[in-house]
Amino acid sequence: MKLLDGKSLADQLMDDIRERAEQLKPVLGVILVGENPASLSYVKNKKTACERAGVEYREFRYPDTMTQEELLKKIDELNADEEVNGFIVQLPLPDHIEVPQVIRAIDPKKDVDGFHAYNLGKMFLSPEFEDLPPATPLGIVKLLDHYDIPIQGQEVVVVGHSNHVGKPISTMMLNRNATVTTCHIYTKDLAEHTRCADILIVAVGKINLITTDMVKEGVVIADVGINRREDGTLCGDVDFEEVSKKASYISPVPGGVGPMTVAALILNTVRATERQKSANDG
Ligand code: GUN
């Protein structure tokens, strides 16, 4: 078994970006509403990655009493701010704020999370139109590519059908000519599908959802889950200890897909900046 080491690849990608960033001077904005502990930890990782890559990081923090109207006003302000090349609104948001309305308000050119319907829709066309794909799926593709794992013609099984991970990674795998099965909470017999997988991508958020009897020998696994055990340590959705004995490659949690998601956000920020600057030159 080999590890899909997202942490070292993400560090390498950040170091590679540095030179480009010195000329481009990209600026990433992060809007954070409230004090969700997981969100605080994620945005800290984003800040650290920006520093490593030479991308300027600007954080805008608000209490969880912020109204939707106030948030939409801030988004409009960042849409118009020529200094900010890309920005994200960290999720989850407090219950009184409607996430679809918030995402819709972001200028697609600055939507470096790749959550806007415009960017998601473009992905359906072909890999060439994956301009700003969602960060986690982009990170997974970069990770598989780095380890020269073939995708074309492979049986790819995705577990989870969220708008931000399951659906877009299924699309990106289909764009690369895999045979894709997307499983979810209503799938009748999950194991029947996962056992067929050459590549298994799991994004549910449930400890030990995937056990060793559910995979075939030699499977490649990207574990997107980030769960906290009772003792406070982190783990994914896959029973790593046992399943790793059967897998040819598996991403650990932490240190696998998580750092690649952050790296992909930075890649999207650089890409958005390049597009904006070349549009201005032209
Ligand atoms: N919350 C957890 N992951 C993410 C992410 O990738 N982007 C945003 N905006 N919020 C998140």
Side-chain angles (χ1 to χ4, degrees):
M1 178 278 294
K2 288 193 188 145
L3 275 188
L4 295 173
D5 184 352
K7 173 78 177 82
S8 54
L9 177 56
D11 285 349
Q12 192 183 314
L13 289 169
M14 294 307 92
D15 292 344
D16 292 349
I17 283 174
R18 236 194 133 78
E19 217 169 293
R20 247 156 99 206
E22 264 165 34
Q23 295 191 337
L24 270 178
K25 303 199 182 313
V27 177
L28 171 67
V30 172
I31 300 177
L32 180 60
V33 185
E35 306 215 337
N36 179 297
S39 294
L40 288 170
S41 152
Y42 293 149
V43 301
K44 200 168 135 220
N45 293 341
K46 290 170 188 178
K47 183 174 182 214
T48 307
C50 279
E51 280 161 5
R52 186 162 186 146
V55 171
E56 188 182 327
Y57 174 90
R58 292 189 192 171
E59 193 172 288
F60 307 94
R61 271 205 201 194
Y62 302 96
D64 60 9
T65 49
M66 185 186 213
T67 64
Q68 180 163 312
E69 204 184 342
E70 286 165 338
L71 177 55
L72 293 176
K73 192 159 161 260
K74 182 66 196 173
I75 290 172
D76 276 345
E77 194 186 302
L78 292 183
N79 283 339
D81 185 342
E82 289 188 6
E83 283 185 18
V84 175
N85 304 106
F87 66 96
I88 66 165
V89 180
Q90 188 66 29
L91 303 177
L93 287 167
D95 288 345
H96 63 272
I97 298 179
E98 290 166 74
V99 175
Q101 296 236 37
V102 168
I103 292 173
R104 199 182 312 148
I106 299 172
D107 180 344
K109 292 193 286 302
K110 295 192 176 186
D111 168 39
V112 285
D113 252 337
F115 289 173
H116 193 286
Y118 177 83
N119 287 317
L120 287 170
K122 271 181 96 174
M123 281 192 8
F124 274 88
L125 303 176
S126 75
E128 291 75 44
F129 287 99
E130 292 168 1
D131 288 337
L132 291 176
T136 300
L138 177 60
I140 295 169
V141 169
K142 294 266 172 206
L143 193 57
L144 297 176
D145 285 350
H146 176 76
Y147 285 89
D148 288 326
I149 291 162
I151 296 172
Q152 180 155 297
Q154 300 297 294
E155 295 286 336
V156 174
V157 177
V158 177
V159 187
H161 70 331
S162 69
N163 286 341
H164 299 157
V165 183
K167 286 186 207 171
I169 190 65
S170 298
T171 303
M172 289 174 84
M173 290 291 125
L174 195 53
N175 278 345
R176 286 157 182 76
N177 302 319
T179 301
V180 183
T181 305
T182 309
C183 301
H184 44 74
I185 186 106
Y186 297 108
T187 298
K188 282 189 198 148
D189 185 347
L190 180 61
E192 183 191 353
H193 297 286
T194 57
R195 275 190 211 113
C196 299
D198 299 313
I199 299 175
L200 179 61
I201 299 168
V202 193
V204 172
K206 197 167 168 202
I207 297 179
N208 287 341
L209 176 69
I210 304 296
T211 47
T212 185
D213 55 305
M214 295 170 73
V215 301
K216 74 175 179 193
E217 202 69 46
V219 63
V220 174
I221 301 182
D223 188 349
V224 186
I226 301 179
N227 309 296
R228 205 168 277 282
R229 294 193 193 93
E230 279 179 13
D231 66 4
T233 57
L234 293 179
C235 65
D237 293 347
V238 178
D239 175 7
F240 185 89
E241 186 107 347
E242 291 303 316
V243 174
S244 59
K245 293 176 190 159
K246 263 174 129 177
S248 58
Y249 290 89
I250 184 166
S251 68
V253 179
V257 175
M260 287 306 296
T261 296
V262 178
L265 172 71
I266 310 284
L267 289 172
N268 274 348
T269 305
V270 170
R271 197 178 290 180
T273 309
E274 280 171 343
R275 289 187 162 244
Q276 287 159 29
K277 300 215 163 153
S278 67
N280 287 344
D281 291 346

